[in-house]
Coordinates of all heavy atoms in Angstrom, one line a residue:
R355 N 82.1 231.6 59.7 CA 80.9 231.9 59.0 C 81.3 232.8 57.8 O 82.1 233.7 57.9 CB 80.0 232.7 60.0 CG 79.6 231.9 61.2 CD 78.6 232.7 62.0 NE 79.2 233.7 62.9 CZ 79.5 233.5 64.2 NH1 79.3 232.4 64.7 NH2 80.1 234.5 64.8
R356 N 80.7 232.6 56.7 CA 81.1 233.4 55.6 C 80.0 233.4 54.5 O 79.2 232.4 54.3 CB 82.3 232.7 54.9 CG 83.0 233.4 53.8 CD 84.3 232.7 53.4 NE 84.0 231.5 52.8 CZ 83.9 231.3 51.5 NH1 84.1 232.3 50.7 NH2 83.7 230.1 51.0
R357 N 79.9 234.5 53.8 CA 79.1 234.6 52.6 C 80.0 235.5 51.6 O 80.1 236.6 52.0 CB 77.7 235.2 52.9 CG 76.8 235.2 51.7 CD 76.1 233.9 51.5 NE 75.6 233.7 50.1 CZ 74.4 233.3 49.9 NH1 73.5 233.1 50.8 NH2 74.0 233.1 48.6
G358 N 80.3 235.0 50.6 CA 81.2 235.7 49.7 C 82.6 236.0 50.4 O 83.2 235.2 50.9
F359 N 82.8 237.3 50.3 CA 84.0 237.9 51.1 C 83.8 238.3 52.5 O 84.7 238.7 53.1 CB 84.6 239.1 50.2 CG 85.9 238.7 49.4 CD1 86.1 237.5 49.0 CD2 86.7 239.8 49.1 CE1 87.2 237.2 48.3 CE2 87.8 239.4 48.3 CZ 88.0 238.1 47.9
M360 N 82.5 238.1 53.0 CA 82.3 238.5 54.4 C 82.6 237.3 55.3 O 81.9 236.4 55.2 CB 80.9 239.0 54.5 CG 80.6 240.3 53.7 SD 78.8 240.8 53.9 CE 78.9 241.7 55.4
T361 N 83.6 237.4 56.1 CA 84.1 236.3 56.8 C 84.2 236.5 58.3 O 84.8 237.5 58.7 CB 85.5 235.8 56.3 OG1 85.5 235.7 54.9 CG2 85.9 234.4 56.9
G362 N 83.6 235.7 59.1 CA 83.8 235.8 60.6 C 84.3 234.5 61.2 O 83.8 233.5 60.9
I363 N 85.5 234.6 61.8 CA 86.1 233.5 62.4 C 85.8 233.5 63.9 O 86.4 234.3 64.7 CB 87.6 233.4 62.1 CG1 87.8 233.5 60.6 CG2 88.2 232.3 62.8 CD1 89.3 233.8 60.3
A364 N 84.9 232.7 64.3 CA 84.5 232.7 65.7 C 85.5 231.9 66.6 O 85.6 230.7 66.3 CB 83.1 232.2 66.0
L365 N 86.1 232.5 67.6 CA 87.1 231.8 68.4 C 86.3 231.0 69.5 O 85.2 231.3 69.8 CB 88.1 232.8 69.1 CG 88.9 233.6 68.1 CD1 89.8 234.6 68.9 CD2 89.7 232.8 67.2
A366 N 87.0 230.0 70.0 CA 86.4 229.2 71.1 C 86.2 230.1 72.3 O 86.7 231.3 72.3 CB 87.3 228.0 71.5
D367 N 85.5 229.7 73.3 CA 85.3 230.5 74.5 C 86.5 230.9 75.2 O 87.3 230.0 75.7 CB 84.4 229.8 75.6 CG 82.9 230.1 75.2 OD1 82.7 231.2 74.6 OD2 82.0 229.3 75.5
F368 N 86.8 232.2 75.4 CA 87.9 232.7 76.1 C 87.3 233.7 77.1 O 86.3 234.3 76.8 CB 89.0 233.4 75.3 CG 89.8 232.4 74.5 CD1 89.5 232.2 73.2 CD2 90.8 231.8 75.0 CE1 90.2 231.2 72.4 CE2 91.6 230.9 74.3 CZ 91.3 230.6 73.0
P369 N 88.0 233.9 78.3 CA 87.5 234.9 79.2 C 87.4 236.3 78.6 O 88.3 236.5 77.7 CB 88.4 234.8 80.4 CG 89.5 233.8 80.1 CD 89.1 233.2 78.8
L370 N 86.5 237.1 78.9 CA 86.3 238.4 78.3 C 87.6 239.2 78.5 O 88.0 239.9 77.5 CB 85.2 239.1 79.1 CG 84.5 240.3 78.3 CD1 84.0 239.8 77.0 CD2 83.3 240.8 79.3
D371 N 88.2 239.1 79.6 CA 89.4 240.0 79.8 C 90.6 239.5 79.1 O 91.6 240.2 79.1 CB 89.6 240.2 81.5 CG 90.0 238.9 82.1 OD1 90.1 237.9 81.4 OD2 90.2 238.9 83.3
A372 N 90.6 238.3 78.5 CA 91.7 237.9 77.7 C 91.7 238.7 76.4 O 92.8 238.9 75.7 CB 91.6 236.4 77.4
R373 N 90.5 239.3 76.0 CA 90.4 240.1 74.7 C 91.2 239.3 73.6 O 92.0 239.9 72.9 CB 91.1 241.5 74.9 CG 90.4 242.3 76.0 CD 90.9 243.8 76.0 NE 90.4 244.4 74.7 CZ 91.0 245.4 74.2 NH1 92.1 245.9 74.7 NH2 90.7 246.0 73.1
M374 N 90.7 238.1 73.5 CA 91.4 237.2 72.5 C 91.3 237.7 71.1 O 92.3 237.6 70.3 CB 90.8 235.7 72.7 CG 91.8 234.7 72.1 SD 93.6 235.0 72.5 CE 93.5 234.2 74.3
G375 N 90.1 238.2 70.7 CA 90.0 238.7 69.3 C 91.1 239.8 69.1 O 91.7 239.8 68.0
H376 N 91.2 240.7 70.1 CA 92.2 241.8 70.0 C 93.6 241.3 69.9 O 94.4 241.7 69.2 CB 92.0 242.7 71.2 CG 92.9 243.9 71.1 ND1 92.8 244.8 70.2 CD2 93.9 244.3 72.0 CE1 93.8 245.8 70.4 NE2 94.3 245.5 71.5
Q377 N 93.9 240.2 70.8 CA 95.2 239.7 70.7 C 95.6 239.0 69.4 O 96.7 239.1 68.9 CB 95.3 238.5 71.8 CG 95.2 239.0 73.3 CD 96.1 240.1 73.6 OE1 97.2 240.1 73.1 NE2 95.6 241.1 74.3
V378 N 94.6 238.4 68.7 CA 94.8 237.9 67.4 C 95.1 239.0 66.4 O 96.0 238.9 65.5 CB 93.6 237.1 67.0 CG1 93.7 236.7 65.4 CG2 93.3 235.8 67.8
A379 N 94.4 240.1 66.6 CA 94.6 241.2 65.7 C 96.0 241.8 65.8 O 96.7 242.1 64.8 CB 93.6 242.4 65.9
L380 N 96.5 241.8 67.1 CA 97.8 242.3 67.3 C 98.9 241.3 66.7 O 99.8 241.8 66.2 CB 98.1 242.5 68.8 CG 97.3 243.6 69.5 CD1 97.7 243.6 71.1 CD2 97.6 245.0 68.9
A381 N 98.6 240.1 67.0 CA 99.5 239.1 66.3 C 99.6 239.1 64.8 O 100.7 239.1 64.1 CB 99.2 237.7 66.8
A382 N 98.4 239.4 64.2 CA 98.4 239.5 62.8 C 99.1 240.8 62.3 O 99.7 240.8 61.3 CB 96.9 239.6 62.3
R383 N 98.9 241.9 63.0 CA 99.6 243.1 62.7 C 101.1 242.9 62.7 O 101.8 243.4 61.8 CB 99.2 244.1 63.8 CG 99.7 245.5 63.4 CD 99.6 246.5 64.7 NE 98.2 246.7 64.9 CZ 97.8 247.5 66.0 NH1 98.7 248.1 66.8 NH2 96.6 247.8 66.2
R384 N 101.6 242.1 63.7 CA 103.1 242.0 63.7 C 103.6 241.1 62.5 O 104.7 241.2 62.2 CB 103.4 241.2 64.9 CG 103.3 241.8 66.3 CD 104.0 241.3 67.5 NE 103.3 240.0 67.9 CZ 102.3 240.0 68.8 NH1 101.8 241.2 69.3 NH2 101.6 238.8 69.1
R385 N 102.6 240.4 61.9 CA 103.0 239.6 60.7 C 102.7 240.3 59.4 O 102.8 239.8 58.3 CB 102.2 238.3 60.6 CG 102.8 237.3 61.7 CD 101.8 236.1 61.9 NE 102.4 235.1 62.6 CZ 102.6 235.0 63.9 NH1 102.1 236.1 64.6 NH2 103.3 234.1 64.5
G386 N 102.0 241.6 59.5 CA 101.8 242.4 58.3 C 100.4 242.3 57.8 O 100.2 242.4 56.5
A387 N 99.4 242.2 58.6 CA 98.0 242.4 58.1 C 97.2 243.1 59.2 O 97.4 242.9 60.4 CB 97.5 240.9 57.9
I388 N 96.3 243.9 58.7 CA 95.5 244.6 59.7 C 94.0 244.0 59.6 O 93.4 243.8 58.6 CB 95.3 246.1 59.2 CG1 96.6 246.9 59.3 CG2 94.2 246.9 60.1 CD1 97.2 247.1 60.7
V389 N 93.6 243.4 60.8 CA 92.3 242.9 60.9 C 91.7 243.6 62.1 O 92.4 243.8 63.1 CB 92.2 241.4 61.0 CG1 92.6 240.7 59.7 CG2 93.0 240.8 62.2
R390 N 90.3 243.8 62.1 CA 89.7 244.3 63.4 C 88.6 243.3 63.7 O 87.7 243.1 63.0 CB 89.2 245.7 63.1 CG 88.5 246.2 64.4 CD 88.2 247.7 64.4 NE 87.4 248.1 65.5 CZ 87.8 248.5 66.6 NH1 89.2 248.7 66.8 NH2 87.0 248.8 67.6
P391 N 88.7 242.8 65.0 CA 87.8 241.8 65.4 C 86.4 242.4 65.9 O 86.4 243.6 66.2 CB 88.5 241.1 66.4 CG 89.3 242.0 67.1 CD 89.7 243.0 65.9
L392 N 85.5 241.7 65.9 CA 84.1 242.0 66.6 C 84.2 241.1 67.8 O 83.8 239.9 67.7 CB 83.0 241.7 65.7 CG 82.8 242.7 64.4 CD1 82.0 241.8 63.5 CD2 82.2 244.0 64.9
G393 N 84.5 241.6 69.0 CA 84.7 240.8 70.2 C 85.7 239.6 69.9 O 86.8 239.8 69.5
D394 N 85.2 238.4 70.0 CA 86.1 237.2 69.7 C 85.8 236.7 68.4 O 86.0 235.4 68.2 CB 86.0 236.1 70.8 CG 86.8 236.6 72.1 OD1 87.5 237.6 71.9 OD2 86.7 235.9 73.1
V395 N 85.2 237.4 67.5 CA 85.0 237.0 66.1 C 86.0 237.8 65.2 O 86.1 239.0 65.2 CB 83.7 237.2 65.6 CG1 83.5 236.9 64.1 CG2 82.6 236.5 66.4
V396 N 87.0 237.1 64.6 CA 88.0 237.7 63.8 C 87.4 237.9 62.4 O 87.0 236.9 61.8 CB 89.3 236.9 63.7 CG1 90.3 237.5 62.8 CG2 89.8 236.7 65.1
V397 N 87.3 239.1 62.0 CA 86.7 239.4 60.7 C 87.7 239.6 59.5 O 88.8 240.2 59.8 CB 85.9 240.8 60.8 CG1 85.4 241.2 59.4 CG2 84.7 240.6 61.8
L398 N 87.4 238.9 58.5 CA 88.2 239.1 57.3 C 87.3 239.6 56.1 O 86.2 239.1 55.9 CB 88.7 237.8 56.8 CG 89.9 237.1 57.5 CD1 90.3 236.0 56.6 CD2 90.9 238.1 57.8
M399 N 87.6 240.7 55.6 CA 86.7 241.4 54.5 C 87.6 242.2 53.6 O 87.5 243.5 53.7 CB 85.7 242.2 55.2 CG 84.3 242.2 54.3 SD 83.2 243.5 54.7 CE 82.4 242.8 56.1
P400 N 88.5 241.6 52.8 CA 89.5 242.3 52.2 C 88.8 243.1 50.9 O 87.7 242.7 50.6 CB 90.5 241.3 51.7 CG 89.7 240.1 51.6 CD 88.7 240.2 52.7
P401 N 89.5 244.0 50.3 CA 89.0 244.6 49.1 C 88.8 243.6 48.0 O 89.6 242.7 48.0 CB 90.2 245.7 48.7 CG 90.9 245.9 50.0 CD 90.7 244.7 50.8
L402 N 87.8 243.9 47.2 CA 87.4 242.9 46.2 C 88.6 242.6 45.2 O 88.7 241.6 44.5 CB 86.2 243.3 45.4 CG 84.9 243.6 46.3 CD1 83.7 243.8 45.4 CD2 84.6 242.5 47.4
S403 N 89.5 243.7 45.1 CA 90.4 243.7 44.2 C 91.7 242.9 44.6 O 92.7 242.8 43.9 CB 91.0 245.2 43.9 OG 91.4 245.8 45.1
I404 N 91.7 242.3 45.8 CA 92.9 241.7 46.3 C 93.3 240.6 45.4 O 92.5 239.9 44.8 CB 92.6 241.0 47.8 CG1 93.8 240.6 48.5 CG2 91.5 240.0 47.7 CD1 93.6 240.4 50.0
S405 N 94.7 240.4 45.3 CA 95.1 239.3 44.3 C 95.0 238.0 45.2 O 94.9 237.9 46.3 CB 96.5 239.5 44.0 OG 97.4 239.3 45.1
E406 N 95.0 236.8 44.4 CA 94.9 235.5 45.0 C 96.2 235.3 46.0 O 96.0 234.8 47.1 CB 94.8 234.4 44.0 CG 93.5 234.4 43.4 CD 93.1 233.0 42.7 OE1 93.8 232.0 42.9 OE2 92.1 233.0 41.9
A407 N 97.3 235.8 45.5 CA 98.5 235.6 46.3 C 98.4 236.4 47.6 O 98.7 235.9 48.7 CB 99.7 236.2 45.6

Side-chain angles (χ1 to χ4, degrees):
R355 298 186 282 264
R356 187 173 66 96
R357 186 82 202 230
F359 255 22
M360 299 179 77
T361 311
I363 302 165
L365 302 176
D367 269 337
F368 286 98
L370 202 56
D371 63 1
R373 297 190 67 206
M374 198 49 80
H376 182 64
Q377 296 308 325
V378 171
L380 291 179
R383 185 192 293 181
R384 290 193 291 273
R385 290 170 164 75
I388 299 293
V389 293
R390 182 168 168 93
L392 292 155
D394 280 353
V395 178
V396 180
V397 172
L398 290 187
M399 207 196 287
L402 307 187
S403 59
I404 193 169
S405 71
E406 287 196 16

